[in-house]
Amino acid sequence: MLRDLLESASTGDRAAFTRLYDLTSSRIYGLAFRVVRDREYAEEIVQEAYLQYWQKADQYHAARGSVLTWMMTIAHRRAVDRVRSEQLQQDRMSDYGAVSVETPRNIPLEVVVHADEARTLRTCLGELTDLQRSSIEMSYFGGLTYPEVAQQTETPLPTVKSRIRDGLRRLKQCLRTQEDA
């Protein structure tokens, strides 16, 4: 039954895809939630997974397993990717916090290097667009998640993600350029 629905969906049958969603969404959501342990992230993963199912329905091969197994595998990979991404962001925040903490020793060379690094970072942040800079500051320095940044700025989540990703690329490029100078 699921195979027939997926096959029909691969030809653009929206009704079949809707029925497939109705029959499988609770299992896909449950899996995503067990991995990420966050309702909003799980909902986002489900949305992304179903978009992938719709776009790649023709790539399903029955010889490799059941439709539900195929769907659960895609959702699980997306959930694990999200956990890794969030962990990486937390690690960056921890690294930033560790670097930002002033040492009690007052060694002039360390003070000069720290001030120079902070000045370079401020310069590079100044080269970003206002939207990129504020999104990065809220996320990386303010500790907000991407959905929280989207909510606070009243901006669609995919736009916030793109804005932060592009801003980080520009920031990285600028910091490299400053190091070479």
Side-chain angles (χ1 to χ4, degrees):
M1 177 173 168
L2 293 180
R3 186 182 309 167
D4 295 336
L5 291 172
L6 186 63
E7 189 174 308
S8 295
S10 72
T11 63
D13 184 342
R14 291 178 185 264
F17 190 74
T18 300
R19 181 73 178 131
L20 179 69
Y21 177 86
D22 291 341
L23 293 172
T24 59
S25 61
S26 62
R27 300 248 343 241
I28 301 299
Y29 175 81
L31 170 71
F33 184 78
R34 279 192 305 277
V35 174
V36 297
R37 300 193 183 278
D38 181 277
R39 185 182 57 77
E40 288 178 359
Y41 285 153
E43 290 170 357
E44 194 176 306
I45 289 164
V46 169
Q47 180 181 3
E48 292 169 357
Y50 276 92
L51 178 61
Q52 186 172 347
Y53 304 151
W54 174 256
Q55 293 173 337
K56 300 189 186 258
D58 61 334
Q59 294 180 7
Y60 166 74
H61 299 289
R64 294 185 187 161
S66 72
V67 170
L68 189 58
T69 300
W70 177 74
M71 293 173 74
M72 297 280 275
T73 300
I74 290 171
H76 184 262
R77 286 180 183 155
R78 287 190 164 279
V80 169
D81 287 347
R82 172 54 58 94
V83 169
R84 287 179 181 153
S85 173
E86 290 300 315
Q87 184 60 48
L88 184 60
Q89 182 179 355
Q90 287 178 0
D91 291 347
R92 285 182 186 144
M93 287 297 296
S94 295
D95 290 347
Y96 172 77
V99 169
S100 299
V101 173
E102 293 288 333
T103 57
R105 299 172 291 153
N106 192 10
I107 300 173
L109 180 59
E110 287 181 9
V111 171
V112 169
V113 168
H114 180 69
D116 188 48
E117 288 172 348
R119 190 172 24 262
T120 301
L121 181 59
R122 279 193 300 276
T123 299
C124 289
L125 282 170
E127 293 183 13
L128 301 177
T129 67
D130 291 340
L131 296 172
Q132 287 173 332
R133 183 177 50 258
S134 66
S135 296
I136 288 172
E137 287 173 347
M138 283 187 270
S139 178
Y140 284 85
F141 305 128
L144 298 180
T145 64
Y146 288 4
E148 290 171 335
V149 172
Q151 183 179 19
Q152 188 166 342
T153 60
E154 297 178 354
T155 306
L157 183 60
T159 303
V160 168
K161 288 180 178 181
S162 295
R163 188 177 290 157
I164 291 174
R165 182 180 59 246
D166 293 344
L168 289 174
R169 282 186 188 138
R170 288 183 62 193
L171 189 60
K172 183 177 180 180
Q173 191 174 26
C174 177
L175 290 171
R176 282 186 182 155
T177 303
Q178 295 290 326
E179 281 179 3
D180 295 340

